[in-house]
Amino acid sequence: MRVEQSRATGWVAWVLFGGILLVLLGTVHLCVGLLALLRPEVLAGTRADQLLPVSLTALAWLHLVLGAGAVVTGVGLIRGTGWARVLAVLIGCLTALVNFAFHHAHPVWSVLAVGLSAVVVYSVAAHGGEVADAYGS
């Protein structure tokens, strides 16, 4: 029996954490999108329909598309695929920019989200290949 030594570092945990966060975030977006489509009266008059000058239906479909993309990307990131690493970096950078843009409305959450996004983007960009190595692919 031949035993191989893994070159994976502790940063793999951050890459997997990023994948799990993407799956959870995508699930939340899917739920909000479905809620906005099926029961729009629940979200009517809240900040969701006042943040952007678009209809609640358009925001619902945007949430559904982004949510599905985030879930698929998160699962791909956990599996160590290359395309998911690229998308995870793009989604992480976009998340950081959006949270930075709204830091005046939610300062604590924005600082936390920008910091987590930065760590996850770095870990995926610098150490994302280690997850694929750990799977043997």
Side-chain angles (χ1 to χ4, degrees), residues 76-90:
L77 187 60
I78 291 169
R79 294 293 305 153
T81 60
W83 60 267
R85 292 194 307 259
V86 172
L87 283 177
V89 169
L90 291 174

Side-chain angles (χ1 to χ4, degrees), residues 40-102:
E41 67 275 2
V42 173
L43 295 177
T46 64
R47 296 174 70 169
D49 65 342
Q50 297 173 357
L51 185 60
L52 298 171
V54 296
S55 71
L56 197 55
T57 304
L59 281 176
W61 283 106
L62 180 67
H63 275 287
L64 288 173
V65 169
L66 289 176
V71 168
V72 170
T73 302
V75 170
L77 187 60
I78 291 169
R79 294 293 305 153
T81 60
W83 60 267
R85 292 194 307 259
V86 172
L87 283 177
V89 169
L90 291 174
I91 290 171
C93 290
L94 181 66
T95 300
L97 285 173
V98 167
N99 279 291
F100 183 74
F102 292 104

Side-chain angles (χ1 to χ4, degrees), residues 3-27:
V3 177
E4 294 184 24
Q5 183 177 358
S6 174
R7 296 177 294 142
T9 63
W11 283 100
V12 170
W14 282 101
V15 175
L16 295 176
F17 176 70
I20 292 167
L21 279 180
L22 276 173
V23 169
L24 292 174
L25 179 68
T27 303

